[in-house]
Amino acid sequence: MGRSVRMGIDVGGTHTKAVAIDNATHEIIGKSSVKTTHDDPRGVAAGVVKSFQNCLRENQISPEDVVFVAHSTTQATNALIEGDMAAVGVIGMAKGGLEGILAKKQARLSDIDLGNHKKIKIINDFLNIKKMDKSVVEKTIGEMQKAGAEVFVSSMAFGVDDGGPEQEVYEAASERGIPTTMASDITKLYGLTRRTRTAAINASILPKMLDTANSTEDSVREAGVYVPLMIMRGDGGVMEISEMKKRPVLTMLSGPAASVMGSLMYLRASNGVYFEVGGTTTNIGVIKNGRPAIDYSIVGGHPTYISSLDVRVLGVAGGSMVRANKQGVLDVGPRSAHIAGLDYSVFTDPAKIKGPKVEFFSPKPGDPSDYVRIRLDDGSAVTLTNSCAANVLGLVKPEHFSYGNVESARKAMAALADYCGTTAEDIAKQIMEKAYAKIEPVILELAEKYKLEKDQISLVGVGGGAASLIIYFSEKMGVKYSIPENAEVISSIGVALSMVRDVVERIIPTPSKEDIRAIKNEALNKAIESGATAESVEIHIEIDPQTSKVTAIATGSTEVKTADLLKECDETEARHLAAQDMRIADKETKLLASSDYFYIYGEKVEDDSPGAIRIVDKKGFIKVQRGRGMCRKVRAADYLEALKQLWDDMAVYQTDLIIRPDYYICMGARVTDFAAQDFEQLELLIDLEVSSLEPDEEIMIVGANVKQN
């Protein structure tokens, strides 16, 4: 075998892009792009395979050199949007008595309205597990099939504690070749109705997803590649295709997830708002403490237990068209140039922009009739977009993917400017202002939800249209921005370099050390089942005292990585990066502590009181950025005393509450974060980590909270 190659394939609305990356250096070896094959009998799987094969051929990559293949997928989302779903037979189960009465009501679902004139058809039945045997189960399945059920869900009250009866239904249905979902396989959380609904959504798309998965897997094997095929999950991880066949619903929003994970490979800051800017829509979400913000998805207005990126999708992007009248620009989007079948003026030869005249039209039936197109002397037409406006204002640079011909855009925009009695620059500013007015409230809402301190926010632009929006927005908001290298294929990079991620959730009112250890082991095993190597898995524990929910998040790689993206930086470089991020001079920055893997910097303040703090790793990535923090470097054996000291020193006393610090502990090459409302719970979580260290091993502890005005 020669070089080792990782392949990542991202399925977008317009293009399916493949990227080949050297596994040792993470350098991009090659790229390939094809039109997404929505209308192919094999669906988007055809484009996945075509882009994959093209990338191998065009870059002289031998199939034997490929050590990792993963792709994002739009199939789960598309199936729900387009109504390509199977009718679901829901078999609820419980014991008799009051439990049975309540469970029968809670497990009985109405048809699930997806809010787009599409519904998931539900056929319900219920079994008393005390009277349940194989013949009863088979008879129930047969009767429900006659009533129209094509797939099944088995969901039992307290099935998360004992899934035996659910397994019996699963096995009986499987013997008949019927795709089936066990509700306890999807989530271990209580809440029978929500758990059953989530399982029903999963089951409804099983036939479609199984066809796609099998087609893709067969084609990749035909290409001579035999490593496990991985699929991007909506929460930013990947899982083996065998796991996807059981839980396809977890792949919802895997496209935006791919772009986030790709941007994290390049992002030096740990907190930010990211934009994935395409031609038609922009996906907006949050990265906090180096991880994307995750929440439960809402499908058609129905809460589920599907963990995915907390993303807002807006119909304003690089290709969004302009609506106008004599007074000026009325709106931007949601209709895009691509959907209207028009070229952007900024990507048109200036010699073609002759005699431009404004026309108003309705791109699609039912659209407003005041969208702008520019009719040219040769009878053709172009349109004005956000990309055109950003180019006219000089915001887009030659290195950006959305850079075009400014002269063309200016000539076309001048036609609308003349119609409105103003200048092309003024029209461009009006366009950007309308886009900003739509997106700014979303940024502020996400910043508030995830408690991002404004001076910590960095806007991260990915996707081909990133420069069309983010530069104007960052200047307007007074925050930093970055557009990573290879932004237009960042999603494919994210897929290629993605980590396996799995989550276990439990309701545990008063978790003990044994409870935490058990849930960690379960998360470890699930991550390994999904394709991670055991030695690469790291597990993060979260405890919500309000709901008693304990969450174990396991992340790991498909193989131990041999190299990182960037070379090590020295202390002077790390200091400069920290100072730059804190917006202070290098000389005003103090090295608080360091280890073989991390530097911790703070702003110089009197009396060693809390100030801005940054944890920077030796690759120059800012792992933690907080406006108010303190640091202690201690032996592992002495961690508890330092913890108590920071608990008191970092407390903020307000009228009706005490704000306690969050903690970040640098142990070896890891930074682990902890937050708890009472000290005993905090000690429980941290002790599980620190107890694995040698007593004399040094660790660095940072306590941090929000800077007070």
Side-chain angles (χ1 to χ4, degrees):
M1 179 182 284
R3 57 189 172 181
S4 295
V5 179
R6 298 176 74 90
M7 297 284 293
I9 306 155
D10 177 60
V11 182
T14 305
H15 291 95
T16 295
K17 299 176 181 177
V19 168
I21 294 179
D22 188 292
N23 191 48
T25 65
H26 287 179
E27 292 177 332
I28 295 176
I29 298 170
K31 311 173 189 177
S32 181
S33 178
V34 301
K35 290 283 187 180
T36 298
T37 51
H38 294 292
D39 298 326
D40 191 278
R42 291 177 295 163
V44 298
V48 168
V49 173
K50 187 177 180 182
S51 65
F52 170 73
Q53 292 175 328
N54 287 353
C55 199
L56 291 181
R57 185 182 66 255
E58 293 165 4
N59 299 287
Q60 292 80 53
I61 298 169
S62 168
E64 293 78 26
D65 292 345
V66 179
V67 297
F68 177 91
V69 183
H71 75 86
S72 71
T73 176
T74 60
Q75 286 295 83
T77 304
N78 288 351
L80 294 171
I81 291 173
E82 296 165 8
D84 194 358
M85 300 159 294
V88 181
V90 175
I91 300 179
M93 293 170 284
K95 298 175 183 176
L98 181 59
E99 179 185 310
I101 293 170
L102 293 173
K104 187 172 184 178
K105 181 179 179 182
Q106 292 172 4
R108 185 177 183 84
L109 300 180
S110 301
D111 290 351
I112 300 174
D113 188 344
L114 299 176
N116 54 357
H117 307 295
K118 307 291 184 184
K119 290 184 178 182
I120 300 175
K121 177 69 175 173
I122 304 292
I123 296 97
N124 292 282
D125 209 328
F126 188 83
L127 296 176
N128 183 328
I129 60 173
K130 292 182 177 179
K131 301 175 182 179
M132 185 175 133
D133 59 25
K134 187 171 183 179
S135 63
V136 170
V137 172
E138 289 178 342
K139 180 183 177 184
T140 302
I141 290 174
E143 290 174 349
M144 294 178 77
Q145 278 188 291
K146 291 177 183 176
E150 300 169 277
V151 294
F152 281 86
V153 164
S154 56
S155 183
M156 187 183 81
F158 305 105
V160 296
D161 300 324
D162 175 16
E166 288 187 7
Q167 182 72 29
E168 287 183 48
V169 172
Y170 176 85
E171 290 173 357
S174 297
E175 286 176 6
R176 297 188 178 205
I178 307 170
T180 304
T181 296
M182 292 167 51
S184 59
D185 251 3
I186 299 295
T187 178
K188 298 297 185 183
L189 291 179
Y190 296 119
L192 184 57
T193 299
R194 191 167 173 180
R195 188 167 72 248
T196 306
R197 183 191 302 122
T198 305
I201 294 170
N202 185 79
S204 74
I205 59 175
L206 274 174
K208 175 76 171 180
M209 296 299 285
L210 286 170
D211 286 346
T212 300
N214 291 332
S215 175
T216 306
E217 189 172 32
D218 291 346
S219 298
V220 169
R221 298 290 173 259
E222 288 171 14
V225 175
Y226 296 98
V227 296
L229 178 60
M230 311 296 285
I231 310 294
M232 196 83 195
R233 292 165 48 134
D235 60 7
V238 290
M239 57 184 177
E240 283 196 15
I241 199 165
S242 58
E243 282 295 302
M244 189 274 268
K245 290 175 182 179
K246 293 190 292 186
R247 299 183 288 168
V249 75
L250 299 184
T251 66
M252 286 174 55
L253 289 177
S254 73
S259 67
V260 178
M261 302 318 290
S263 64
L264 279 172
M265 304 297 168
Y266 293 91
L267 182 64
R268 286 190 180 274
S270 60
N271 295 311
V273 176
Y274 62 83
F275 293 67
E276 184 194 21
V277 186
T280 304
T281 60
T282 294
N283 300 310
I284 304 175
V286 163
I287 295 166
K288 185 171 183 182
N289 296 332
R291 290 192 292 268
I294 305 291
D295 206 348
Y296 294 126
S297 295
I298 295 176
V299 177
H302 305 286
T304 71
Y305 282 135
I306 304 162
S307 289
S308 64
L309 267 69
D310 189 3
V311 171
R312 307 291 187 273
V313 181
L314 298 179
V316 54
S320 296
M321 293 168 58
V322 174
R323 294 173 55 203
N325 63 16
K326 273 285 187 183
Q327 281 67 52
V329 176
L330 297 173
D331 199 3
V332 177
R335 188 62 69 209
S336 69
H338 170 69
I339 299 299
L342 293 169
D343 290 332
Y344 302 21
S345 63
V346 74
F347 299 136
T348 303
D349 186 338
K352 191 176 179 181
I353 311 290
K354 292 182 179 178
K357 293 182 177 61
V358 172
E359 288 184 356
F360 296 101
F361 77 117
S362 182
K364 294 288 182 182
D367 285 348
S369 58
D370 53 6
Y371 278 97
V372 175
R373 67 183 169 204
I374 306 298
R375 184 67 64 184
L376 307 177
D377 276 352
D378 64 1
S380 65
V382 295
T383 193
L384 306 178
T385 66
N386 281 317
S387 294
C388 303
N391 273 270
V392 166
L393 293 174
L395 300 172
V396 188
K397 307 303 179 189
E399 63 267 23
H400 296 141
F401 190 76
S402 53
Y403 182 76
N405 195 302
V406 178
E407 181 187 352
S408 296
R410 190 183 300 277
K411 287 167 72 175
M413 204 163 287
L416 180 58
D418 291 344
Y419 178 83
C420 298
T422 185
T423 64
E425 284 74 15
D426 182 54
I427 290 293
K429 286 180 181 177
Q430 290 185 42
I431 292 171
M432 299 307 296
E433 278 297 308
K434 293 296 183 184
Y436 180 75
K438 288 185 172 184
I439 290 180
E440 184 206 27
V442 175
I443 298 173
L444 297 179
E445 185 261 322
L446 284 168
E448 172 64 24
K449 179 176 180 179
Y450 291 101
K451 308 302 180 190
L452 294 179
E453 301 163 58
K454 185 174 180 182
D455 62 340
Q456 317 303 318
I457 295 177
S458 172
L459 302 184
V460 183
V462 296
S468 302
L469 298 180
I470 196 171
I471 300 171
Y472 186 87
F473 291 3
S474 68
E475 291 180 359
K476 184 87 174 176
M477 296 186 74
V479 298
K480 297 171 292 182
Y481 82 90
S482 61
I483 300 175
E485 186 182 359
N486 299 303
E488 74 281 3
V489 290
I490 204 77
S491 295
S492 300
I493 294 171
V495 176
L497 298 178
S498 54
M499 306 280 281
V500 172
R501 185 182 193 277
D502 231 307
V503 179
V504 176
E505 298 172 307
R506 287 275 191 282
I507 302 298
I508 308 174
T510 309
S512 64
K513 188 178 289 188
E514 289 70 31
D515 292 329
I516 301 297
R517 188 173 286 113
I519 197 171
K520 286 183 69 174
N521 287 336
E522 187 175 351
L524 169 66
N525 290 333
K526 285 178 75 71
I528 293 170
E529 285 175 19
S530 292
T533 58
E535 62 270 26
S536 72
V537 178
E538 293 187 3
I539 300 166
H540 173 70
I541 299 290
E542 296 175 356
I543 299 177
D544 186 336
Q546 270 76 42
T547 61
S548 297
K549 184 177 75 172
V550 181
T551 304
I553 304 168
T555 55
S557 58
T558 52
E559 61 175 309
V560 178
K561 293 181 179 177
T562 57
D564 289 310
L565 196 61
L566 300 175
K567 294 179 181 179
E568 283 199 5
C569 61
D570 59 25
E571 195 275 329
T572 302
E573 291 174 299
R575 179 188 297 268
H576 177 69
L577 289 168
Q580 196 175 43
D581 196 64
M582 290 187 284
R583 301 189 180 187
I584 58 177
D586 290 14
K587 63 183 180 182
E588 297 171 358
T589 306
K590 180 180 180 181
L591 178 64
L592 303 178
S594 66
S595 69
D596 291 340
Y597 300 96
F598 300 101
Y599 302 106
I600 301 179
Y601 294 97
E603 60 178 331
K604 290 181 179 178
V605 291
E606 295 181 5
D607 305 323
D608 291 326
S609 57
I613 199 164
R614 301 291 187 270
I615 300 178
V616 186
D617 71 10
K618 293 295 179 79
K619 301 295 181 183
F621 284 81
I622 300 172
K623 308 301 288 186
V624 173
Q625 47 188 160
R626 296 298 296 266
R628 182 178 185 272
M630 299 179 76
C631 172
R632 298 284 185 272
K633 185 174 182 178
V634 297
R635 297 186 317 136
D638 303 325
Y639 89 91
L640 190 55
E641 183 180 342
L643 209 63
K644 289 177 180 176
Q645 188 178 12
L646 288 171
W647 182 262
D648 293 327
D649 291 349
M650 286 298 300
V652 175
Y653 294 88
Q654 296 186 346
T655 306
D656 54 349
L657 78 161
I658 303 174
I659 300 175
R660 296 294 184 179
D662 301 324
Y663 288 88
Y664 305 88
I665 301 186
C666 300
M667 295 178 286
R670 291 187 297 144
V671 178
T672 307
D673 58 291
F674 303 90
Q677 293 190 355
D678 67 76
F679 192 83
E680 286 185 7
Q681 190 181 86
L682 182 74
E683 185 183 351
L684 169 68
L685 292 174
I686 295 180
D687 191 61
L688 278 167
E689 299 292 336
V690 178
S691 61
S692 64
L693 305 177
E694 293 296 324
D696 287 333
E697 191 171 339
E698 287 192 316
I699 62 175
M700 299 186 294
I701 305 175
V702 168
N705 50 24
V706 177
K707 182 167 62 176
Q708 301 301 299
N709 294 324

